[in-house]
Amino acid sequence: MPAEDTPAGPGPRGPTQLEKNRALEEWLRWQLGQVQARIRDLEAQEERERQAHAALWKVQPQQSGSPALLHRGDCRLYTGSTYINRGDAVVALTMPEIEPCAVCRPETGLDPE
C-alpha cells in the first residue's frame, strides 16, 4: 500500500488518494454541467436568431450576368445581413430585376395580401 493510503499515526491526517479523486470527480461533473448549460443556452439563442431571420427576407444584389435574388432571412446561400420585412419582400417579387432564390424559395407562402 502506498504510504499516503496507510493509516497515519497520531495527529492530523490529509485526504487519501481515493478521497482526492472523488473530489476531483465531483468538481469535473460540476464543470461538465456548467459547459452543458452554456451549450443549451447558446443553442437556444441560435434557434431564436434562426426563427427571427426566418420571418425576414434579404435581397442579394445583382452581379454580372445574374439577376438580384430574393432570399429567406435564414438562407445560407447569401450571407448578407440587411433584412427586409414581408411587405418589402412581396414588392421585391413583383420587380422584374429580382428573382426568387431557387434553393430557399422565398416566395412560398408570400402571396400578396
Side-chain angles (χ1 to χ4, degrees), residues 71-112:
H71 296 272
R72 289 184 180 273
D74 59 349
C75 182
R76 295 186 187 249
L77 290 181
Y78 175 60
T79 58
S81 60
T82 302
Y83 297 95
I84 60 174
N85 62 30
R86 184 184 190 286
D88 291 339
V90 169
V91 170
L93 280 177
T94 65
M95 300 174 77
E97 63 273 15
I98 299 178
E99 294 182 8
C101 171
V103 175
C104 70
R105 299 188 39 153
E107 73 280 9
T108 306
L110 194 59
D111 297 324

Side-chain angles (χ1 to χ4, degrees), residues 4 19 28 30 35 41 58 72 90 95-96 101 106-107 110:
E4 298 159 25
E19 291 168 331
L28 289 171
W30 176 84
V35 170
D41 290 346
K58 53 192 173 183
R72 289 184 180 273
V90 169
M95 300 174 77
C101 171
E107 73 280 9
L110 194 59

Side-chain angles (χ1 to χ4, degrees), residues 2-93:
E4 298 159 25
D5 290 335
T6 59
R13 179 179 149 226
T16 66
Q17 287 295 313
L18 179 59
E19 291 168 331
K20 288 179 184 178
N21 279 279
R22 283 189 175 146
L24 176 61
E25 177 187 32
E26 185 177 326
W27 180 75
L28 289 171
R29 285 182 196 273
W30 176 84
Q31 197 173 40
L32 177 60
Q34 296 297 306
V35 170
Q36 289 171 330
R38 180 69 175 141
I39 289 170
R40 284 190 300 274
D41 290 346
L42 291 170
E43 287 173 339
Q45 180 182 344
E46 271 189 11
E47 180 61 19
R48 285 190 301 273
E49 289 173 3
R50 188 194 65 74
Q51 288 176 354
H53 290 159
L56 298 172
W57 291 261
K58 53 192 173 183
V59 177
Q60 179 178 354
Q62 181 176 0
Q63 297 174 348
S64 61
S66 61
L69 293 175
L70 178 67
H71 296 272
R72 289 184 180 273
D74 59 349
C75 182
R76 295 186 187 249
L77 290 181
Y78 175 60
T79 58
S81 60
T82 302
Y83 297 95
I84 60 174
N85 62 30
R86 184 184 190 286
D88 291 339
V90 169
V91 170
L93 280 177

